[in-house]
């Protein structure tokens, strides 16, 4: 691995993501002394502003989003690292001024971060090339969405790929920066007891839920026409699925890990106009109450009716040896009753019950493992235990083996996902970034669902805000004799 980049060039620097996540993350890295010496952040956006005005904006954002972590003293040493250069795509003079800011530094490593709409990715990259800023060791990071289907994602990747080698491209999925998602690797491959059971012999099904209480939040122009399937499943949820489902990589390195993830993603069974009817549910929220607050419906927020789904539930199959016959149920939605992301591993019943006939009436239940990713972080394993007492027949009851990660690592500050990702970008470590073939495998499966919906003319079903989607989402899993873990 090379020396960390000495310059960070951020496009889209006046945007929401930059204010909420990227600058607070850079500040935290600075506070912990993790940024290279003589580090320069070149921020770029379309608005005309000078360095001082931009630093004031960043200062306000830091105060707003960092809470107690903000101190005037640290901000005082952080803000001078930032300079601002307005750039409109295609404006050669502004690009020349940008190059001027970076002059003499690119050879000490330049990491470029595109936090702009994807339509600007290729033009921005071309502008960098024209300004002579791309070297073999220059890195470029891109935010999602990378396309809206396989064909458009290929076009985006081709545009960037014409100027950068894959080893220089860092596709961001911020879920991979979350400590709890990385912890899935530790759980599976750092313990001897789970891996032998991690397959169709012992596991009945897997559930992955990412529930959000928020609605559109002023993101109408982005969200409408995109929907929950593209916004959440195509990236975050399929990344989680790939980590749960993949074979053990030989080592923790970018090639080994991503090789295994892509194999799992490619094994997803495509859907059709027929299977979407029983294997998928689309929903859209209507007025209701979330966490005690009355909220309006999606169409009201939008100001017109729409066919965009704000909820999706899917029954996925991974057609390989390990997962044959094990459904993966996925669901995600806006305006759910709780912000809650978790993975449930539902084990099969014991092969033979010694406690009465088939265990009936004894309380015997199959084991369940719940891995809560957010807001709390824990791993809970429901195991059977004898209820104390003198009854002649053994009575069993579920007890919980509870590992609270928040409590176990109480002294450790919880990091913003972007801190990990920015640090890895600067260091050139691609393990937690998405490779082109992964994105394309993800889109291939998502496209099959979108095509299926078109063929079957499936529109979103309404659900009242504050519910776990339409009732058909319950039927999707209950038909198989299972139920969602709420
Ligand atoms: C983003 C989606 O990628 O992830 C948003 O575009 C969603 O719609 C967000 O709200 C969820 O991220 P987190 O980290 O809050 O779970």
């Amino acid at each position: 691995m090379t020396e960390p980049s000495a310059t960070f060039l951020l496009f889209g620097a006046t945007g929401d993501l930059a204010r909420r996540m990227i600058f607070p993350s850079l500040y935290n890295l600075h506070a912990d002394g993790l940024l290279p010496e003589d580090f320069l952040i070149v921020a770029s956006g379309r608005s005309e502003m000078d360095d001082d005005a931009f630093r004031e904006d960043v200062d306000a954002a830091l105060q707003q989003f960092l809470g107690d972590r903000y101190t005037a003293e640290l901000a005082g040493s952080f803000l001078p690292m930032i300079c601002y250069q307005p750039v409109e795509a295609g404006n050669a003079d502004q690009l020349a001024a940008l190059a001027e800011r970076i002059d003499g530094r690119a050879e000490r490593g330049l990491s470029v971060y595109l936090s702009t709409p994807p339509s600007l990715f290729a033009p921005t990259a071309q502008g960098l090339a024209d300004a002579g800023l791309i070297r073999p060791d220059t890195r470029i990071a891109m935010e999602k969405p990378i396309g809206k289907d396989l064909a458009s994602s290929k076009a985006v990747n081709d545009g960037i790929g014409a100027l950068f080698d894959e080893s220089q491209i860092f596709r961001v999925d911020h879920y991979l920066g979350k400590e709890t998602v990385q912890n899935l690797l530790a759980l599976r491959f750092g313990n001897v007891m789970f891996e032998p059971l991690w397959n169709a012999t012992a596991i009945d099904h897997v559930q992955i839920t990412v529930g959000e209480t928020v609605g559109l939040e002023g993101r109408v122009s982005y969200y409408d026409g995109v929907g929950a399937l593209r916004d959440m499943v195509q990236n975050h949820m399929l990344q989680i699925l790939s980590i749960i489902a993949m074979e053990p990589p030989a080592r923790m390195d970018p090639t080994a890990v991503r090789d295994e993830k892509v194999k799992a993603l490619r094994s997803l069974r495509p859907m059709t106009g027929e299977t979407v009817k029983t294997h998928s549910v689309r929903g859209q929220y209507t007025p209701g109450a979330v966490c005690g607050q009355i909220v309006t419906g999606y169409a009201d927020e939008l100001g017109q009716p729409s066919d965009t789904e704000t909820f999706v539930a899917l029954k996925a199959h991974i057609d390989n040896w390990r997962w044959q016959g094990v459904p993966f149920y996925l669901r995600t939605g806006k305006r759910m009753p709780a912000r809650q992301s978790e993975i449930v591993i539902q084990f099969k019943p014991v092969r033979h019950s010694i406690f009465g006939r088939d265990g009936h009436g004894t309380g015997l239940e199959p084991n369940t493992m719940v891995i809560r990713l957010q807001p709390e972080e824990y791993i809970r394993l429901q195991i059977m235990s004898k209820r104390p007492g003198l009854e002649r027949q053994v009575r069993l009851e579920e007890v919980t083996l509870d590992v609270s990660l928040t409590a176990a690592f109480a002294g450790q500050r919880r990091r913003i996902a972007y801190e990990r990702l920015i640090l890895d970008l600067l260091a050139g470590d691609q393990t937690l970034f998405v490779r082109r073939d992964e994105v394309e495998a993800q889109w291939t499966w998502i496209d099959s669902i979108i095509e299926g919906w078109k063929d079957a003319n499936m529109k979103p079903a309404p659900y009242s805000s504050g519910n776990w989607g339409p009732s058909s989402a319950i039927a999707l899993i209950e038909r198989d004799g299972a139920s969602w873990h709420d």
Side-chain angles (χ1 to χ4, degrees):
M1 210 164 287
T2 50
E3 285 292 298
S5 303
T7 306
F8 183 77
L9 169 55
L10 174 64
F11 288 93
T14 53
D16 195 50
L17 183 78
R19 290 171 51 81
R20 276 175 188 275
M21 299 289 172
I22 298 181
F23 284 112
S25 296
L26 286 163
Y27 170 98
N28 282 339
L29 294 174
H30 167 66
D32 290 342
L34 294 170
L35 294 177
E37 222 160 89
D38 181 33
F39 192 62
L40 177 69
I41 301 167
V42 183
S44 167
R46 291 196 311 192
S47 321
E48 288 286 343
M49 236 187 294
D50 64 15
D51 289 352
D52 286 338
F54 184 73
R55 287 175 189 154
E56 268 175 40
D57 268 12
V58 174
D59 195 32
L62 297 177
Q63 295 186 40
Q64 185 181 351
F65 296 111
L66 281 169
D68 294 352
R69 288 279 298 165
Y70 177 90
T71 69
E73 195 191 342
L74 270 171
S77 54
F78 174 67
L79 294 170
M81 294 179 175
I82 306 172
C83 64
Y84 181 81
Q85 174 60 47
V87 176
E88 284 273 358
N91 184 323
D93 290 345
Q94 288 181 328
L95 275 163
L98 183 77
E100 189 71 16
R101 298 268 195 171
I102 297 170
D103 192 34
R105 296 184 58 96
E107 44 280 12
R108 283 190 290 136
L110 172 63
S111 287
V112 182
Y113 198 110
L114 304 181
S115 174
T116 62
S119 55
L120 295 177
F121 290 174
T124 306
Q126 189 56 54
L128 291 173
D130 296 344
L133 285 170
I134 303 181
R135 299 163 30 101
D137 58 358
T138 306
R139 302 183 187 116
I140 189 153
M142 303 186 266
E143 272 293 332
K144 73 177 242 294
I146 298 184
K148 62 180 199 16
D149 54 18
L150 178 62
S152 53
S153 83
K154 282 189 171 168
V156 174
N157 283 323
D158 284 345
I160 295 290
L163 297 165
F164 291 89
D165 183 71
E166 181 64 28
S167 63
Q168 297 171 272
I169 303 174
F170 292 66
R171 293 180 197 80
V172 175
D173 184 314
H174 79 277
Y175 267 53
L176 294 180
K178 290 183 191 270
E179 205 70 75
T180 42
V181 174
Q182 292 162 47
N183 197 33
L184 296 173
L185 292 167
L187 180 79
R188 284 195 60 194
F189 306 123
N191 294 292
V192 75
M193 64 274 256
F194 299 121
E195 206 41 36
L197 301 178
W198 211 261
N199 54 50
T201 311
I203 292 179
D204 180 79
H205 72 266
V206 176
Q207 299 179 18
I208 305 175
T209 294
V210 179
E212 297 184 279
T213 53
V214 292
L216 272 191
E217 284 198 309
R219 295 165 80 220
V220 184
S221 58
Y222 156 72
Y223 196 86
D224 197 56
V226 173
L229 183 71
R230 291 186 177 97
D231 183 48
M232 292 296 287
V233 182
Q234 189 275 337
N235 35 71
H236 311 321
M237 295 192 75
L238 286 185
Q239 281 295 318
I240 294 175
L241 175 139
S242 71
I243 296 174
I244 294 288
M246 71 181 184
E247 296 301 313
R251 64 193 79 81
M252 184 72 183
D253 81 17
T255 304
V257 171
R258 298 188 299 176
D259 280 354
E260 297 307 335
K261 285 199 306 179
V262 77
K263 277 192 236 164
L265 292 166
R266 286 188 183 138
S267 307
L268 280 163
R269 186 186 303 167
M271 295 215 193
T272 64
E274 250 337 285
T275 55
V276 285
K277 294 180 195 157
T278 48
H279 286 56
S280 77
V281 169
R282 302 177 78 191
Q284 188 186 90
Y285 62 82
T286 57
V290 180
C291 308
Q293 298 281 324
I294 304 290
V295 296
T296 54
Y298 179 82
D300 304 319
E301 280 179 62
L302 189 63
Q304 62 187 56
S306 160
D307 279 347
T308 299
E309 80 284 348
T310 59
F311 171 92
V312 64
L314 301 165
K315 175 179 171 183
H317 293 280
I318 299 176
D319 280 333
N320 64 17
W321 195 282
R322 182 187 285 262
W323 296 114
Q324 207 38 245
V326 182
F328 280 64
Y329 300 99
L330 315 180
R331 70 177 168 164
T332 183
K334 306 266 184 211
R335 294 283 190 231
M336 303 275 102
R339 173 170 142 87
Q340 179 178 312
S341 304
E342 67 180 24
I343 300 158
V344 175
I345 311 288
Q346 181 59 60
F347 290 93
K348 289 187 169 165
V350 289
R351 278 185 202 178
H352 163 71
S353 168
I354 61 166
F355 310 104
R357 203 169 139 264
D358 297 337
H360 281 312
T362 62
L364 182 62
E365 296 285 346
N367 302 123
T368 308
M369 181 154 77
V370 180
I371 307 166
R372 178 64 72 92
L373 305 178
Q374 55 191 30
E376 310 90 353
E377 299 173 12
Y378 60 71
I379 299 168
R380 285 187 186 154
L381 190 56
Q382 306 279 41
I383 57 165
M384 294 316 302
S385 177
K386 181 189 175 300
R387 195 166 73 193
L390 298 178
E391 292 102 330
R392 295 203 63 78
Q393 193 190 18
V394 174
R395 288 261 162 242
L396 300 169
E397 214 167 276
E398 275 183 326
V399 293
T400 308
L401 274 182
D402 191 345
V403 184
S404 159
L405 301 173
T406 321
F409 298 107
Q412 308 263 344
R413 181 168 70 74
R414 310 318 282 164
R415 298 280 181 174
I416 306 172
Y418 284 88
E419 291 181 45
R420 165 87 274 146
L421 297 178
I422 292 173
L423 209 52
D424 285 359
L425 167 69
L426 296 177
D429 183 343
Q430 291 183 305
T431 312
L432 298 177
F433 293 85
V434 185
R435 207 165 60 186
R436 176 171 181 159
D437 52 3
E438 291 179 80
V439 176
E440 295 188 354
Q442 289 168 183
W443 275 123
T444 302
W445 190 64
I446 295 295
D447 278 2
S448 78
I449 300 169
I450 293 170
E451 279 305 304
W453 284 347
K454 273 194 204 133
D455 289 353
N457 195 23
M458 255 178 79
K459 304 273 186 245
Y463 62 93
S464 306
S465 291
N467 284 289
W468 288 106
S471 54
S472 43
I474 299 172
L476 173 101
I477 189 165
E478 295 203 339
R479 272 198 295 275
D480 296 341
S483 48
W484 292 109
H485 183 265
D486 287 339

